[in-house]
Amino acid sequence: MKLSAFLTFLALTCEAYAVNCNQPKNGQTWEDEDEALLVVDKLCRERFVGNFHDKQLKKACVWNDKTNQYFYFHVKHIKKGDRHLPFEECLYGLGKQVRLCEHGGTSSYTNWEYKGIPTLKCP
């Protein structure tokens, strides 16, 4: 599936799943959602997809020259045992934090916790 087709699918369907937009309202906003989603795509492909162990956390904080801000993302395996995170699930889970939460957010379900926030410094 092409990225543009997936992003359209994401925009139309992700409202059905709960996201906790718990970031401060006076915090940074996603200056460019499309740019943030390109970073999500790259991080899922290169860093997050693959095997996780018990409670393992993978995170990344990336500077974006176009928006002059950092994009912080993490994926955490919240169950016991080993688990494989597929690309589509990673893209969907992290993408919700961008599309549904102006200041970023966190969501958890089944095996995974996803977090994404725009920020001026890495946490």
Side-chain angles (χ1 to χ4, degrees), residues 64-101:
N64 186 273
D65 288 326
K66 290 184 180 179
T67 63
N68 290 317
Q69 64 187 169
Y70 288 98
F71 298 149
Y72 172 82
F73 293 102
H74 84 223
V75 178
K76 182 177 182 182
H77 180 227
I78 56 176
K79 300 287 185 175
K80 292 187 178 200
D82 292 346
R83 186 89 180 168
H84 179 80
L85 178 65
F87 172 73
E88 292 79 10
E89 192 169 355
C90 179
L91 192 64
Y92 182 76
L94 287 177
K96 288 190 305 182
Q97 313 322 306
V98 177
R99 286 282 187 216
L100 299 180
C101 298

Side-chain angles (χ1 to χ4, degrees), residues 22-71:
N22 60 356
Q23 302 307 316
K25 297 298 181 205
N26 61 352
Q28 291 287 301
T29 60
W30 301 106
E31 296 297 327
D32 184 334
E33 285 185 8
D34 290 335
E35 194 67 26
L37 290 169
L38 288 173
V39 171
V40 165
D41 182 88
K42 182 178 172 97
L43 289 175
C44 284
R45 288 180 194 281
E46 296 177 3
R47 190 172 246 174
F48 296 144
V49 166
N51 294 324
F52 282 71
H53 302 296
D54 288 4
K55 314 288 185 188
Q56 184 177 355
L57 173 72
K58 294 182 183 181
K59 61 185 178 177
C61 191
V62 179
W63 176 254
N64 186 273
D65 288 326
K66 290 184 180 179
T67 63
N68 290 317
Q69 64 187 169
Y70 288 98
F71 298 149

Side-chain angles (χ1 to χ4, degrees), residues 6-36:
F6 181 78
L7 294 177
T8 300
F9 169 78
L10 178 65
L12 295 174
T13 61
C14 64
E15 285 80 9
Y17 296 90
V19 175
N20 182 6
C21 298
N22 60 356
Q23 302 307 316
K25 297 298 181 205
N26 61 352
Q28 291 287 301
T29 60
W30 301 106
E31 296 297 327
D32 184 334
E33 285 185 8
D34 290 335
E35 194 67 26

